[in-house]
């Protein structure tokens, strides 16, 4: 079925405001202890009360962002504050590094082994500072951002399991998240700092991780940007590559760089061609660039965020270039995602399908899925298409 952009914009708006947000507002907010429950079953019932820092911060960001950009709704600010206050009190160790997870009450469970906890804290507290006007939130955002800058060359620090020096690699995840994070933080950063970091991320993403011959984004490369023939070195993560491309389009749009916009669209279309499952539809989760068996056993699952980020990239690419391939792919991706992931009975979206597109886990949230990719994509697509 083919829709026009106005019909689609209305669908995304209605789904965001009448379906997705109410699901999280009604089921996830822990008004008693602070923060949010993210482990929600299909109906929204809580099945585990541990609190994962990525998802806690992402939900603070989401409600703060909507308050700042969509409507000054006091209930949204109150939900954001419920998470921000809990995290400010419990989320960091004595050195200011963000833990990975906490108990319901806020006791640390898993050490601050991952730079992404700090990334999402910086994102969250930047938007929350803007929404609340709290100076302390600004300080937390800047401290977390500086943690990321300080740790970017060694994201896991002392928690890194790899033996130093034998096969050094760098990961696409760091510069791509820094690109998006720096745009989020733009209002808080000195202009020179911002432009310097954006330059660095564009150079790395489009220079080091993009294979110019194949037009594909590799997940890991050697420090000198050469390919390494091993599991990690051959890894293609289609969702990451495509998400990185809309981050690049976002930077390019800010700078009026049409060449970078078109390059990012080209790469998006190349990844889609490479990663689309021609038998069952949808995008593979992980792939091996040389066609060898991937080491990830879940390689052929179809994941919600991979498809949602593709919708955002295609909508943005179409708006910025008007290229018909973007619109054709958009329709194809829209039809697949809405017929497979959306739960018409209980609201929100399923996260994990098997290769055939059947629901594998009927959860609405867990350790990795929270109030982020679905509402962000609904908002972004509504914005692009409207």
């Amino acid at each position: 079925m083919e829709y026009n952009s106005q019909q689609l914009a209305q669908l995304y708006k209605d789904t965001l405001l009448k379906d997705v947000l109410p699901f999280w507002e009604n089921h996830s907010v822990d008004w008693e202890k602070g923060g949010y429950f993210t482990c929600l079953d299909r109906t929204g019932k809580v099945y585990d009360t541990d609190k994962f820092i990525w998802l806690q911060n992402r939900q603070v960001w989401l409600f703060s962002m909507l308050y700042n950009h969509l409507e000054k709704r006091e209930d949204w600010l109150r939900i954001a504050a419920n998470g921000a206050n809990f995290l400010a009190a419990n989320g960091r160790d004595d050195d200011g590094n963000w833990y990975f997870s906490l108990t319901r009450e806020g006791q640390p469970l898993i050490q601050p082994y991952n730079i992404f906890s700090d990334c999402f804290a910086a994102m969250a507290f930047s938007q929350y500072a803007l929404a609340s006007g709290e100076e302390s939130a600004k300080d937390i955002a800047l401290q977390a951002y500086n943690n990321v800058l300080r740790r970017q060359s060694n994201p896991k620090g002392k928690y890194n399991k790899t033996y130093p020096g034998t096969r050094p690699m760098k990961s696409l995840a760091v510069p791509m998240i820094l690109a998006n994070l720096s745009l989020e933080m733009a209002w808080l950063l000195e202009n020179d700092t911002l432009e310097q970091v954006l330059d660095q991320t564009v150079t790395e993403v489009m220079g080091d991780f993009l294979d110019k011959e194949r037009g594909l984004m590799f997940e890991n490369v050697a420090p000198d940007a050469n390919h390494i023939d091993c599991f990690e070195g051959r890894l293609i993560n289609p969702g990451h590559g495509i998400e990185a491309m809309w981050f690049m389009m976002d930077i390019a749009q800010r700078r009026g760089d049409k060449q970078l916009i078109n390059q990012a669209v080209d790469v998006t279309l190349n990844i889609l061609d490479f990663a689309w499952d021609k038998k069952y539809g949808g995008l593979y989760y992980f792939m091996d660039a040389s066609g060898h068996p991937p080491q990830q056993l879940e390689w052929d699952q179809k994941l919600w965020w991979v498809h949602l980020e593709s919708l955002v990239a295609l909508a943005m690419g179409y708006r910025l270039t008007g290229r018909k391939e973007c619109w054709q792919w958009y329709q194809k991706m829209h039809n697949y995602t809405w017929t497979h992931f959306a739960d018409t009975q209980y609201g929100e979206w399923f996260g994990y399908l098997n290769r055939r597109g059947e629901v594998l886990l009927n959860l609405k949230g867990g350790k990795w899925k929270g109030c982020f990719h679905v509402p962000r994509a609904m908002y972004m697509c509504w914005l692009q298409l409207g």
Side-chain angles (χ1 to χ4, degrees), residues 22-171:
F23 186 91
W24 294 97
E25 288 165 337
N26 295 336
H27 301 301
S28 80
V29 187
D30 185 355
W31 294 116
E32 191 187 333
K33 304 288 185 187
Y36 317 106
F37 301 116
T38 60
C39 296
L40 306 177
D41 72 9
R42 184 182 180 188
T43 65
K45 188 165 173 276
V46 177
Y47 65 85
D48 196 290
T49 60
D50 287 352
K51 292 176 178 167
F52 305 96
I53 293 290
W54 290 24
L55 300 184
Q56 299 291 313
N57 274 309
R58 283 170 158 190
Q59 192 156 342
V60 172
W61 174 84
L62 194 276
F63 280 96
S64 301
M65 183 277 291
L66 292 175
Y67 179 87
N68 291 331
H69 295 288
L70 191 53
E71 192 186 334
K72 298 271 186 281
R73 282 176 50 169
E74 284 307 311
D75 52 334
W76 287 349
L77 186 58
R78 193 164 154 253
I79 290 171
N82 191 62
N85 295 333
F86 174 79
L87 288 163
N90 303 299
R92 295 168 290 174
D93 68 11
D94 293 341
D95 296 323
N97 298 307
W98 288 80
Y99 296 114
F100 180 78
S101 63
L102 313 170
T103 64
R104 182 187 175 189
E105 293 72 24
Q107 293 295 309
L109 276 174
I110 294 182
Q111 299 275 18
Y113 77 90
N114 196 305
I115 191 177
F116 299 121
S117 293
D118 301 78
C119 286
F120 295 121
M123 259 175 83
F125 280 88
S126 165
Q127 283 293 333
Y128 181 67
L130 204 53
S132 66
E134 289 176 19
E135 280 299 315
S136 59
K138 270 191 205 178
D139 296 338
I140 292 172
L142 286 168
Q143 188 216 7
Y145 184 73
N146 288 323
N147 277 356
V148 176
L149 292 182
R150 177 172 52 79
R151 291 174 59 188
Q152 62 181 308
S153 61
N154 187 11
K156 292 192 175 177
K158 65 182 180 182
Y159 302 107
N160 197 341
K161 290 185 285 192
T162 56
Y163 189 84
T166 305
R167 189 189 280 158
M169 280 190 202
K170 56 182 188 173
S171 161

Side-chain angles (χ1 to χ4, degrees), residues 233-293:
R234 296 188 302 266
L235 180 63
I236 307 282
N237 179 335
H240 252 179
I242 291 168
E243 187 179 10
M245 288 308 97
W246 80 250
F247 295 166
M248 293 296 107
M249 288 181 222
D250 219 6
I251 294 171
Q253 185 182 333
R254 172 190 167 89
R255 295 175 159 187
D257 185 343
K258 289 194 173 136
Q259 191 181 345
L260 178 56
I261 289 169
N262 272 298
Q263 188 186 19
V265 169
D266 287 340
V267 175
T268 300
L269 298 171
N270 287 337
I271 296 171
L272 291 169
D273 280 331
F274 181 76
W276 185 260
D277 181 345
K278 292 175 181 57
K279 185 170 182 183
Y280 294 106
L283 297 169
Y284 292 113
Y285 188 18
F286 293 112
M287 300 182 80
D288 185 287
S290 302
H292 300 309

Side-chain angles (χ1 to χ4, degrees), residues 128-358:
Y128 181 67
L130 204 53
S132 66
E134 289 176 19
E135 280 299 315
S136 59
K138 270 191 205 178
D139 296 338
I140 292 172
L142 286 168
Q143 188 216 7
Y145 184 73
N146 288 323
N147 277 356
V148 176
L149 292 182
R150 177 172 52 79
R151 291 174 59 188
Q152 62 181 308
S153 61
N154 187 11
K156 292 192 175 177
K158 65 182 180 182
Y159 302 107
N160 197 341
K161 290 185 285 192
T162 56
Y163 189 84
T166 305
R167 189 189 280 158
M169 280 190 202
K170 56 182 188 173
S171 161
L172 170 65
V174 177
M176 72 171 266
I177 200 107
L178 203 48
N180 181 238
L181 173 58
S182 300
L183 284 182
E184 282 286 331
M185 302 275 296
W187 74 281
L188 267 180
L189 301 174
E190 298 286 339
N191 201 49
D192 288 354
T193 305
L194 174 65
E195 293 303 330
Q196 190 184 335
V197 175
L198 293 180
D199 280 342
Q200 173 201 326
T201 61
V202 172
T203 301
E204 264 199 281
V205 172
M206 303 307 280
D208 295 353
F209 293 94
L210 173 60
D211 183 311
K212 299 283 194 301
E213 280 177 39
R214 303 182 65 181
L216 296 175
M217 299 301 301
F218 277 67
E219 194 67 12
N220 302 292
V221 292
D224 64 2
N226 278 315
H227 292 315
I228 300 173
D229 190 14
C230 65
F231 276 126
E232 291 85 1
R234 296 188 302 266
L235 180 63
I236 307 282
N237 179 335
H240 252 179
I242 291 168
E243 187 179 10
M245 288 308 97
W246 80 250
F247 295 166
M248 293 296 107
M249 288 181 222
D250 219 6
I251 294 171
Q253 185 182 333
R254 172 190 167 89
R255 295 175 159 187
D257 185 343
K258 289 194 173 136
Q259 191 181 345
L260 178 56
I261 289 169
N262 272 298
Q263 188 186 19
V265 169
D266 287 340
V267 175
T268 300
L269 298 171
N270 287 337
I271 296 171
L272 291 169
D273 280 331
F274 181 76
W276 185 260
D277 181 345
K278 292 175 181 57
K279 185 170 182 183
Y280 294 106
L283 297 169
Y284 292 113
Y285 188 18
F286 293 112
M287 300 182 80
D288 185 287
S290 302
H292 300 309
Q295 66 172 330
Q296 291 83 2
L297 302 181
E298 68 276 27
W299 69 275
D300 65 346
Q301 287 177 22
K302 310 289 163 67
L303 267 71
W304 86 108
W305 71 267
V306 175
H307 295 76
L308 285 162
E309 297 307 324
S310 302
L311 285 170
V312 173
L314 289 164
M316 192 181 282
Y318 183 65
R319 180 177 65 78
L320 292 171
T321 67
R323 287 167 62 173
K324 70 175 190 302
E325 313 100 296
C326 288
W327 190 240
Q328 287 162 347
W329 261 110
Y330 190 90
Q331 296 278 347
K332 185 174 176 175
M333 191 66 67
H334 173 90
N335 288 329
Y336 181 85
T337 56
W338 286 81
T339 53
H340 288 82
F341 290 100
D343 183 356
T344 51
Q345 192 173 352
Y346 292 104
E348 237 275 347
W349 280 32
F350 298 114
Y352 303 87
L353 314 177
N354 65 19
R355 185 184 170 191
R356 292 184 298 277
E358 299 154 346

